[in-house]
Amino acid sequence: MDEQKRARRPGGRSARVRAAVHQAVTELVGERGYGNFTIGDIAARAGVADTSLYRRWGNLQALLSDVLLARLNTQAPMPDTGNLADDLRTFAANVVREVTGPDGLALVRLAVALSGEGQQGLQARDELLADRARQMQVLLDRARDRGEDPPDALEVLDHLLAPIYIRVLFGAGPLTPDYLDRLVDRLLA
Amino acid sequence: MDEQKRARRPGGRSARVRAAVHQAVTELVGERGYGNFTIGDIAARAGVADTSLYRRWGNLQALLSDVLLARLNTQAPMPDTGNLADDLRTFAANVVREVTGPDGLALVRLAVALSGEGQQGLQARDELLADRARQMQVLLDRARDRGEDPPDALEVLDHLLAPIYIRVLFGAGPLTPDYLDRLVDRLLA
């Protein structure tokens, strides 16, 4: 069975390795924090050869970003409710649940760690964020197609995501549904 | 000479120790990053006894916060131009200079580090941020006294500081004077 065929079988060995690696990264981040473990540590914990991790992901930074992206896409997926305000409110509520949960602020922590790790770190960070921005753009494009007048993706980052992240990081101010409503209203005003 | 008297003499031994300690912390943060050095490392680098650092600051978290607060107050002081829009524009420009400089994002990096260090870390973070918030409140109160209609300090955090921090942290979008003007206009609208 060649590599390509393996990759296509979701229940196959490839998917099992991926799940084991993701689980190992989540545990190591929780126990040691970003920056305090290697690809070798991940391989040992997941019970796979580190050469296969290098072959699949290339470097630690790309692997960490892939794990976080998969988790964000599961835990804070882009909603499709049929109108922009509800999409943004649902998205904001998902983000708040993610950043106030047990692995809270993973995106901020990973971005801080990657931005100190040279070119590979910055590239991994940029690809992760570009993927999420593309998904947000799909949500905004759907709104435009319905005849709504959406903000651009950077405005969503500036005035919806940034306040949530910084309030959690600085322990400043509440993150109530009422507050999220006001952020969305202000963004769409 | 008692402790109180020493503290009052800006050119005295107390001030020299403080300057040496601040310099040592700045170097260690640059070389190793937050979380990777101890009070003992700072004392050795500054050429003072670690007991005197514990006596003066109590713990590492309080010492780190004190160093960063002193630097922010020097490099991004609260302006007093005579009108609110100019105060906020000047403040934003100072913050951008600080976060894009050689020790960039120090506040975000320290907040990430402190929030993983238990109760002492959270307390040090909260005191640092409360001090900056009090200074911002003075700026906003002056505007109200002049008959202007200022936002509250949390709104300044949400819609002026947070977008700047997150754009730098995520490497997303420019931080031009024109962009800062739009943030201030939007905040005051």
Side-chain angles (χ1 to χ4, degrees):
Chain A
M1 189 163 51
D2 64 13
E3 185 71 26
Q4 223 181 353
K5 195 155 179 192
R6 264 209 299 275
R8 272 197 233 107
R9 280 184 50 196
R13 184 173 180 281
S14 178
R16 285 197 306 275
V17 167
R18 186 181 163 92
V21 166
H22 280 226
Q23 179 62 29
V25 168
T26 300
E27 290 174 11
L28 287 165
V29 169
E31 292 166 20
R32 306 190 197 171
Y34 287 114
N36 300 316
F37 57 89
T38 64
I39 286 233
D41 296 328
I42 299 167
R45 171 98 41 144
V48 298
D50 55 2
T51 48
S52 71
L53 301 196
Y54 281 110
R55 196 166 54 235
R56 183 156 179 169
W57 280 281
N59 58 62
L60 177 63
Q61 291 78 13
L63 169 50
L64 294 175
S65 293
D66 183 51
V67 171
L68 182 56
L69 181 61
R71 206 178 74 205
L72 289 176
N73 289 346
T74 304
Q75 299 189 357
M78 298 295 161
D80 184 9
T81 64
N83 81 80
L84 179 60
D86 284 340
D87 276 2
L88 292 174
R89 275 192 282 263
T90 303
F91 175 67
N94 289 344
V95 169
V96 167
R97 203 183 52 230
E98 210 275 326
V99 296
T100 56
D103 305 311
L105 282 174
L107 188 58
V108 169
R109 287 176 199 281
L110 180 60
V112 165
L114 291 179
S115 63
E117 289 179 24
Q119 202 48 49
Q120 283 185 341
L122 294 176
Q123 191 181 334
R125 179 199 69 180
D126 291 348
E127 287 174 9
L128 164 62
L129 296 167
D131 193 289
R132 292 290 286 176
R134 270 192 300 274
Q135 295 184 48
M136 175 53 71
Q137 194 59 54
V138 171
L139 185 159
L140 299 172
D141 287 345
R142 272 199 309 261
R144 186 172 304 284
D145 291 345
R146 285 190 301 261
E148 299 186 86
D149 182 28
D152 64 36
L154 259 180
E155 288 177 294
V156 177
L157 179 68
D158 281 345
H159 297 289
L160 189 59
L161 284 178
I164 293 171
Y165 288 143
I166 292 297
R167 281 193 172 207
V168 174
L169 183 61
F170 287 1
L175 291 167
T176 58
D178 189 56
Y179 169 69
L180 299 182
D181 283 351
R182 287 203 307 276
L183 285 182
V184 171
D185 291 345
R186 190 171 180 138
L187 180 61
L188 299 183
Chain B
M1 189 162 55
D2 64 13
E3 184 70 26
Q4 225 181 351
K5 193 154 179 193
R6 263 209 301 275
R8 270 196 235 108
R9 282 184 49 196
R13 184 173 179 280
S14 178
R16 286 198 304 275
V17 167
R18 186 181 162 92
V21 166
H22 280 226
Q23 180 62 30
V25 168
T26 301
E27 290 173 12
L28 287 166
V29 169
E31 291 167 20
R32 306 190 197 170
Y34 287 113
N36 300 316
F37 57 89
T38 63
I39 287 232
D41 296 328
I42 299 167
R45 171 96 43 141
V48 297
D50 55 3
T51 49
S52 70
L53 302 196
Y54 280 109
R55 197 166 51 236
R56 183 157 178 167
W57 280 282
N59 58 61
L60 176 63
Q61 291 79 12
L63 168 50
L64 295 175
S65 292
D66 183 52
V67 171
L68 182 55
L69 180 61
R71 207 179 74 207
L72 288 176
N73 289 345
T74 305
Q75 298 189 357
M78 298 295 160
D80 184 9
T81 64
N83 81 80
L84 178 59
D86 283 340
D87 276 1
L88 293 174
R89 275 192 282 265
T90 303
F91 175 67
N94 289 344
V95 168
V96 166
R97 201 183 54 229
E98 209 275 326
V99 296
T100 57
D103 305 312
L105 281 175
L107 188 58
V108 169
R109 286 176 199 282
L110 180 60
V112 165
L114 291 180
S115 63
E117 288 180 25
Q119 202 47 50
Q120 283 185 342
L122 294 177
Q123 191 181 334
R125 178 198 70 180
D126 291 348
E127 285 174 9
L128 164 63
L129 295 167
D131 194 290
R132 292 291 285 176
R134 269 191 300 273
Q135 295 184 49
M136 175 53 70
Q137 194 58 55
V138 170
L139 185 158
L140 299 172
D141 287 346
R142 272 198 309 261
R144 186 171 304 284
D145 290 345
R146 284 190 302 260
E148 299 187 85
D149 181 28
D152 64 35
L154 260 180
E155 288 178 296
V156 177
L157 179 68
D158 282 345
H159 297 289
L160 189 59
L161 284 177
I164 293 171
Y165 288 143
I166 292 297
R167 281 194 172 206
V168 174
L169 184 61
F170 287 0
L175 290 168
T176 58
D178 190 55
Y179 168 69
L180 298 183
D181 283 350
R182 287 203 306 278
L183 285 182
V184 171
D185 290 346
R186 190 172 179 137
L187 180 61
L188 298 183

